[in-house]
Structure formats: C-alpha cells, structure tokens
C-alpha cells in the first residue's frame, strides 16, 4: 500500500521556468491538499480538492494552479517560477475534513 | 486570520525527561486538535488528536492536555527518547463546519531534540 506518492523528490528550477509536481494516492480518498513548508513557518495550504473536478484556493495560492481529473491524482503546476517559491511541497489526502491526513514524503524545490 | 500559535520553536530535553509543547488558538468554533510528528526528509504523520469534550487524552508516552476556557492545548511526551527527536506540529480545525472550515490550520512547529 503506497499511500501518497510525490514526484520528483528534488528539483532545481531557473527563474521563469515552469513545472508540475505530481501527487498520486491509492487510498480512494476524496480530499487532497497541497501544502508548502518553509523553515520556522509551519505548513501553509496552497490548494485543496474535495473530489474529482472540484478544487479551491487555500491560504497561499498565488503562482500555482491545480487540477483534479481523477480521484487518485492532484498535480500542482508552477508557472513562471520565482525564488519565493523555493520550499518543500507536501501533498496530503484524507477521507474527509481534517481527519487522518496522510502526507507524501515531499518535493524539495529550489528556484535559482 | 485564524491562527494557531505554537511554542517553543525549539526544545532540548535529556533522555528520560518530559517534553512539553504548547499551542493556543483563537477560533472558539474549532473542535478538532491533532498533533503531527515529522522526521527529517519525511512528511508529517498523525500522532494523537483530541476533541474539546475531554480535557486529556493519553496514548502510550504521549498525552494531550486541553484547556477549553484558556483556548490552549499541549503535548506532553513522557520518558522522552532520542527516537522522539523530530518536529512536532499542532493543528486545529472546525470539523463540523464543512468545506474549507474543515481544513487543518497548523502551528509553526517545534523542533525537539532529545539528548542521550
């Protein structure tokens, strides 16, 4: 049982480049989330989805986009990467609401 | 802005000692308070959680104490071990609110180091 799988684990981007962070879960969870984690700042919600075809903004959505075409996948798109997007990104899923979030192992992104 | 304030930012405890991490919240509608544990290079994992209808919950060496009137809750780690060295996050949510109100709001984290 893989849980929540994130790829890639590490990535270096140049300013202005774009990329997609992949997230897949095999637990048939309806709820999925993207967080960014910066040192000493905790976890900030970027986007979330309560089911296929439904997405909504979190606390820090600027510079990011998401889609949810299937229950399993919730990719995060970075357009025109900026140094401020240097962070560790975590995808998570849950059966519903705040209960039992399962996090992936993260993607460490550096924008130079 | 709904916030969960966590302290201290870092904590050093000797093996066998008690580790205490505190959190305070603002929104009285919050009704679910979990703690997450994160090891380096890993994602956070649910450690223990409490609802406001009880004042304490214990699981093994980990205990949550909850003070509804003070809007505070804390994590106590008894007989702390070097393997407990990790970053701990408190969080809060209004689970019954539905929609975005059910999303977890995280504290900024506490880095715990347990010295042998």
């Amino acid at each position: 049982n893989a849980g929540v799988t994130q790829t890639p684990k590490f990535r270096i981007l140049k300013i202005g480049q774009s990329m997609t962070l992949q997230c897949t879960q095999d637990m048939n969870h309806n709820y999925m989330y993207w967080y960014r984690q910066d040192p000493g700042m905790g976890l900030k919600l970027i986007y979330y989805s309560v089911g296929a075809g439904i997405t909504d903004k979190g606390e820090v959505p600027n510079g990011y986009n998401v889609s949810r075409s299937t229950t399993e996948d919730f990719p995060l798109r970075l357009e025109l990467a900026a140094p401020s997007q240097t962070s560790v990104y975590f995808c998570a899923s849950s059966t519903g609401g705040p209960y039992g979030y399962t996090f992936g192992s993260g993607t460490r992104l550096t924008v130079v | 802005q709904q916030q969960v304030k966590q302290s201290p930012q870092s904590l050093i405890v000797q093996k066998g000692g008690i580790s205490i991490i505190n959190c305070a919240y603002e929104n009285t509608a919050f009704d679910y308070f979990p703690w997450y544990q994160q090891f380096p290079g890993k994602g956070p994992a649910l450690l223990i959680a409490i609802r406001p209808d009880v004042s304490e919950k214990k699981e093994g060496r980990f205990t949550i104490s909850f003070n509804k009137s003070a809007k505070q809750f804390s994590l106590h780690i008894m007989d702390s071990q070097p393997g407990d060295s990790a970053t701990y996050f408190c969080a809060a949510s209004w689970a019954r609110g539905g929609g975005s109100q059910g999303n977890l709001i995280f504290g900024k984290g506490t880095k715990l180091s347990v010295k042998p």
Side-chain angles (χ1 to χ4, degrees):
Chain A
N1 192 350
V4 178
T5 302
Q6 291 184 238
T7 56
K9 293 188 182 299
F10 304 94
R11 183 72 185 267
I12 298 175
L13 276 183
K14 294 184 178 179
I15 294 172
Q17 287 184 324
S18 301
M19 77 163 293
T20 299
L21 281 65
Q22 301 292 344
C23 176
T24 298
Q25 54 94 6
D26 63 359
M27 298 172 286
N28 201 33
H29 285 172
N30 284 325
Y31 287 57
M32 295 188 75
Y33 311 84
W34 274 106
Y35 286 88
R36 60 177 289 170
Q37 183 178 27
D38 301 300
M41 297 303 293
L43 294 151
K44 293 188 181 295
L45 183 64
I46 304 171
Y47 271 95
Y48 69 100
S49 169
V50 300
I54 306 171
T55 63
D56 207 346
K57 297 178 180 179
E59 182 182 358
V60 290
N62 291 343
Y64 307 94
N65 278 300
V66 294
S67 60
R68 184 94 183 271
S69 58
T70 67
T71 300
E72 294 79 19
D73 300 309
F74 191 39
L76 177 71
R77 178 79 175 168
L78 279 71
E79 304 282 1
L80 299 175
S84 61
Q85 293 177 305
T86 293
S87 187
V88 181
Y89 292 84
F90 287 100
C91 179
S93 70
S94 75
T95 53
Y99 304 111
Y101 278 28
T102 300
F103 283 85
S105 57
T107 294
R108 182 175 295 274
L109 175 68
T110 302
V111 182
V112 297
Chain B
Q1 178 73 25
Q2 298 178 359
Q3 289 186 344
V4 177
K5 296 183 179 180
Q6 184 172 347
S7 63
Q9 186 172 7
S10 62
L11 181 63
I12 299 174
V13 173
Q14 292 295 318
K15 179 182 176 181
I18 302 173
S19 304
I20 301 175
I21 305 170
N22 300 300
C23 283
Y25 62 97
E26 299 173 350
N27 188 344
T28 55
F30 286 157
D31 59 3
Y32 178 69
F33 303 90
W35 285 89
Y36 280 77
Q37 180 187 54
Q38 183 183 30
F39 293 107
K42 302 293 185 182
L46 179 64
L47 183 63
I48 186 173
I50 197 169
R51 303 294 295 262
D53 52 341
V54 297
S55 60
E56 185 176 283
K57 183 174 181 179
K58 183 177 181 179
E59 291 185 2
R61 296 183 294 109
F62 300 91
T63 299
I64 300 179
S65 296
F66 185 80
N67 186 328
K68 188 173 182 178
S69 61
K71 293 187 289 184
Q72 295 176 347
F73 58 110
S74 60
L75 176 69
H76 296 235
I77 306 175
M78 310 300 290
D79 186 27
S80 298
Q81 299 297 312
D84 297 330
S85 297
T87 298
Y88 292 82
F89 294 96
C90 63
S93 171
W94 181 26
R96 287 173 295 161
S100 63
Q101 294 158 324
N103 291 339
L104 284 173
I105 298 172
F106 286 88
K108 293 185 176 182
T110 297
K111 186 174 182 179
L112 171 65
S113 296
V114 181
K115 300 300 184 184

